[in-house]
């Protein structure tokens, strides 16, 4: 571009040494296999493009890929990705098939399920990594704030996942909150105006003759050091004129006046050039073919574009590129409404002739005043096309415009809600809220009102709205009533959501009772036959029936969930956790959650994966491994980082309670969650603190925490605290309090037949018994829990048995049980029990190294996951696809794993990991 030439002439960029040093370091690291990304932010004309171009010019031995954002192209999903990936098409076949399919569907060249934007991003990462096998790659994205949202999200994903690839990414954008949010996690480089000295140097370099120092300094200050403003003024006026302007009281053309300055340059051109420029400004996709077609329809001569280029306003380089965005803004904003509509009308007809369905609909909408049902219908069709390629952000904006062109009434409202639903699906919460706010609820059809309620509950959960979270279940049941007898699928889906949110709210739920919800779930099962009907009956039974009567129906529902195809299983995380806990099915619950998480990873459904990992983290604390629970929380943080967030939406206080976080911190987080309406977070945290009390021997404190939770147990979660309560009651000398709860626990174990439930019930009975009978129960508990995946509970059973043996003076036997307990609890990550185990071991007088091992080769959660997948025979590409990282990153982590485990090949992984878990 001309600005780059001017600024580079006679010595390169002025005053940008530090910025160029930082960008040069990025490129240097990429050449050495350590990729990264930088977002260059600044006001128009400050030199962002010049920095990108200067960096590209120094990208020796690198492949340079470029893409620039265009405003009207922002409604076409993956438009920028399409252009960026054209040079990479030859590498497409090297990707896993799912990624290939995602890229092809996103590009509109193949049909298939709409891909998640993160899966598209993973495909782009694969293309870049494959291309970089030959030479390092520099990907330059200019005017990123004008990219379509799908492309921006996908490229932001890539930027956050570049770690150990010879790939660098440079973004440039205007500095605003939206771009910072969407590119969250990418390092920012803010570019301000030049210093006074540098600005004067640039100004004098650009002038035909040098200016006086005083006048040059005044001009530089008035321009706030903006390089483009300085260069353009130097080209437009003589030195004498600029000195006079600097010394007068008249303002220089800067800021909004700079736009007027550009408009003045346009107005000098003849009328045909101005008309052609308006067409280009109205389209702004850069499609030279489309602008020429529209110009021909308006009778504008074919050589007009050349005259516009000669005037220095645009460049024709296979596409239309404005000298600067302010040129386009000046042309478009200065036109009258009638002139703009005329231009958009011509572009719509031109797009129609070229078969550009979405562009035709969009421009037709801009050419329309008031309502036009025909154009609105075409826009809705364009929105559907966008959604079929996974372009939900584009669908949202196009549907919103379709609503504007629709007459007031149910159709308009339906389109507004559809726009909100699409915005919500990509996390654009504020946009979804604005679309909902426009809905006229007095004329809205029941089904649309139901959809409004569903979106509002999702927004309330996403934003942790304290005024709404507790009522979300009741609101979803109300939405189901709006669907009843009209759209049974929506009715059943709303009820399934209601059940899952009721589990989240726990005892904090408002506006509906357990009995009312159970009855409504059961009634909703009759709305339509199929899997959801069976699942709803089971959920209704869980809430309404005595345990013995409910188990068969819940088990049938649970089995039905297991039969669901993967894409439906993804959204069933809370249901899996709740029904699995009700049945005390530890192994089945783990398997289903693992399968659902794998499906979410495969589909790129990171928002669903976030929920599934949260459920897994809680599930593993009660009926699994504390180490796996902590790993799930680590993975939640990683997933949120991938999506561009810097923290968890709701912090898992229960997991914190199992670690060394101060109690007051856990209490504060739990109380904060409860105040918002997340009662499940509160109860889990309190129960986890009670377990910590047990580990530390504070039995009376544990009793006080658990007594309210078991006195009126909440559905399936309350009984999960029964084993700890029995231990707390027995050890704090409250045998009567333990008796009824223990009887209830044993009844449940008899009914569900679960090895986990029967094992903890036997351990509890052992604690409440004396003499040989106690030993029989402890031995049975160990036998049963050994057949479960409840690793922590097994370790605690050995501990309880060892303590009993020591009290009966069988020290050698006690030492063996306690040593086993220490090993199991250490492997399960239940470190808070180890001091108690070691104290018991010391009391036995038995010499043992149990619980005093030298530090093991600690693997991070990601390293452990990669090691396990590699040990199972997965390739680096397959592992990368599951974890949303590149094969190179997988290889880097595997090398670290090999070092930590002191092995040299994948063949040794399985054996070494098995020994670590023994």
């Amino acid at each position: 571009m001309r600005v780059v030439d001017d600024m580079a002439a006679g010595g390169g960029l002025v005053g940008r040494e530090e910025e160029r040093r930082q960008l040069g370091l990025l490129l240097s690291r990429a050449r050495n296999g350590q990729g990264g990304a930088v977002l260059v932010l600044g006001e128009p004309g400050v030199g962002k493009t010049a920095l990108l171009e200067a960096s590209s010019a120094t990208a020796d031995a690198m492949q340079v890929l470029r893409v620039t954002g265009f405003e009207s192209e922002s409604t076409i999903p993956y438009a920028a990705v399409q252009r960026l990936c054209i040079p990479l098409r030859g590498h497409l076949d090297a990707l896993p098939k799912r990624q290939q399919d995602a890229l092809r569907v996103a590009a509109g060249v193949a049909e298939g399920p709409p891909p998640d934007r993160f899966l598209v991003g993973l495909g782009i990462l694969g293309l870049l990594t494959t291309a970089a096998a030959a030479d390092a790659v520099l990907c330059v994205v200019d005017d990123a704030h004008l990219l379509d949202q799908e492309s921006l999200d996908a490229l932001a994903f890539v930027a956050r996942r570049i770690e150990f690839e010879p790939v660098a990414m440079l973004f440039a954008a205007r500095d605003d909150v939206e771009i910072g949010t969407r590119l969250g996690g990418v390092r920012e480089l803010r570019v301000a105006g030049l210093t006074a000295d540098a600005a004067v140097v640039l100004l004098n370099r650009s002038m035909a003759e040098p200016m006086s120092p005083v006048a040059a300094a005044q001009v530089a200050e008035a321009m706030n050091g903006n390089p483009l403003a300085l260069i353009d003024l130097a080209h437009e006026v003589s030195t004498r004129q600029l000195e006079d302007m600097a010394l007068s009281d008249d303002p220089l053309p800067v800021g909004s006046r700079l736009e007027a300055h550009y408009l003045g340059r346009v107005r000098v051109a003849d009328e045909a050039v101005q008309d052609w420029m308006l067409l280009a400004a109205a389209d702004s996709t850069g499609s030279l073919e489309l602008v020429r077609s529209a110009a021909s329809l308006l009778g504008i001569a074919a050589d007009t574009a050349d005259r516009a280029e000669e005037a220095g306003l645009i460049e024709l380089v296979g596409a239309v590129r404005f000298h600067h965005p302010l040129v386009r803004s000046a042309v478009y904003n200065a036109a009258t409404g009638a002139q703009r509509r005329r231009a958009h009308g011509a572009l719509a007809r031109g797009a129609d002739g070229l078969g550009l369905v979405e562009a035709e609909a969009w421009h037709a909408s801009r050419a329309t005043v008031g309502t036009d049902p025909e154009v609105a219908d075409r826009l809705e069709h364009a929105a559907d096309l966008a959604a079929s390629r996974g372009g939900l952000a584009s669908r949202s904006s196009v549907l919103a415009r379709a609503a504007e062109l629709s007459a007031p009434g149910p159709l308009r409202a339906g389109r507004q809600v559809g726009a909100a639903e699409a915005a919500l699906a990509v996390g654009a919460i504020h946009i979804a809220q604005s679309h909902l706010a426009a809905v006229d609820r007095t004329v809205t059809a029941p089904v649309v009102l139901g959809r409004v309620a569903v979106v509002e509950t999702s927004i309330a959960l996403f934003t942790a709205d304290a005024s709404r979270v507790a009522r979300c279940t009741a609101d979803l049941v109300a939405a189901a009533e709006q669907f009843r007898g009209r759209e049974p699928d929506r009715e059943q889906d709303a009820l399934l959501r209601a059940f899952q949110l009721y589990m989240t709210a726990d005892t904090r739920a408002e506006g509906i009772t357990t009995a009312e919800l159970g009855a409504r779930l059961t009634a909703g099962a009759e709305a339509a036959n199929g899997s959801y009907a069976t699942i709803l009956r089971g959920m209704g039974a869980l809430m309404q029936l005595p345990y013995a009567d409910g188990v068969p129906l819940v088990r049938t529902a649970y089995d039905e969930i297991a039969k669901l195809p993967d894409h439906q299983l993804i959204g069933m995380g809370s249901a899996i956790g709740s029904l699995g806990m009700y049945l005390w099915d530890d192994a089945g619950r783990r398997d289903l959650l693992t399968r659902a998480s794998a499906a979410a990873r495969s589909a790129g459904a990171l928002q669903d994966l976030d929920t599934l990992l949260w459920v897994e983290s809680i599930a593993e604390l009660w009926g699994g491994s504390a180490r796996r629970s902590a790993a799930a929380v680590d993975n939640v943080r990683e997933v949120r980082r991938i999506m561009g967030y810097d923290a968890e939406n709701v912090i898992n206080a229960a997991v914190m309670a199992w670690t060394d976080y101060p109690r007051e911190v856990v209490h504060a987080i739990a109380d904060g969650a409860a105040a918002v309406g997340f009662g499940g977070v509160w109860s889990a945290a309190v129960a986890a603190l009670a377990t910590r009390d047990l580990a530390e021997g504070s039995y009376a404190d544990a009793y006080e925490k658990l007594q309210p939770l078991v006195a009126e147990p909440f559905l399936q979660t309350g009984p999960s605290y029964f084993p700890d309560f029995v231990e707390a009651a027995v050890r704090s000398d409250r045998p009567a309090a333990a008796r009824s709860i223990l009887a209830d626990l044993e009844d449940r174990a008899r009914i569900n037949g679960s090895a986990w439930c029967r094992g903890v019930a036997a351990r509890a009975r052992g604690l409440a018994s004396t003499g040989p009978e106690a030993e029989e129960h402890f031995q049975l508990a160990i036998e049963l829990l050994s057949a479960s995946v409840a690793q922590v509970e097994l370790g605690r059973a050995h501990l309880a048995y060892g303590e009993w043996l020591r009290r009966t003076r069988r020290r050698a036997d006690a030492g063996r049980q306690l040593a086993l307990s220490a090993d199991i609890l250490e492997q399960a990550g239940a470190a808070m029990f180890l001091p108690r185990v070691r104290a018991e071991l010391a009391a036995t007088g038995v010499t043992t190294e149990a619980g005093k091992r030298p530090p093991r080769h600690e693997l991070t959660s990601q390293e452990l996951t990669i090691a396990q997948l590699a040990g199972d025979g997965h390739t680096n590409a397959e592992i990368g696809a599951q974890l949303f990282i590149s094969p190179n990153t997988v290889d880097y982590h595997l090398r670290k794993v090999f070092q930590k485990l002191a092995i040299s090949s994948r063949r040794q992984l399985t054996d070494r990991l098995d020994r670590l878990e023994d």
Side-chain angles (χ1 to χ4, degrees), residues 420 424 428-434 436 452-465 468-469 472:
L424 177 67
I429 301 302
H430 296 305
I431 295 174
Q433 289 173 318
S434 68
L436 287 187
V452 168
V454 171
V455 175
E456 286 179 336
T457 58
S458 297
I459 291 174
L461 287 170
F462 193 94
T463 59
D465 183 350
R468 290 293 304 273
V469 169
C472 279

Side-chain angles (χ1 to χ4, degrees), residues 221-234:
E221 182 180 2
M223 294 297 178
N224 198 30
N226 186 293
L228 182 61
L230 292 167
I231 291 169
D232 276 349
L233 277 179

Side-chain angles (χ1 to χ4, degrees), residues 265-285:
R265 292 173 58 182
V266 173
R267 290 289 187 247
V268 173
D270 62 66
E271 185 175 344
V273 168
Q274 293 185 44
D275 289 343
W276 196 95
M277 291 287 292
L278 179 56
L279 287 171
D283 176 61
S284 77
T285 63

Side-chain angles (χ1 to χ4, degrees), residues 866-879 882 906-907 909-910:
I866 289 172
Q868 290 169 335
L869 290 170
D872 289 341
H874 293 284
T875 66
N876 284 7
E878 291 169 343
I879 296 170
Q882 287 197 46
R906 288 177 182 248
R907 290 192 300 273
L909 267 176
T910 301

Side-chain angles (χ1 to χ4, degrees), residues 36-40 155-160 169 171 180 182-189 644:
V38 169
L39 168 60
V40 180
L155 292 174
F157 165 89
V158 176
R160 289 189 288 267
M169 296 188 77
F171 295 85
R182 302 201 80 88
L183 282 166
V186 178
R187 184 164 67 91
E188 295 179 355
L189 175 61

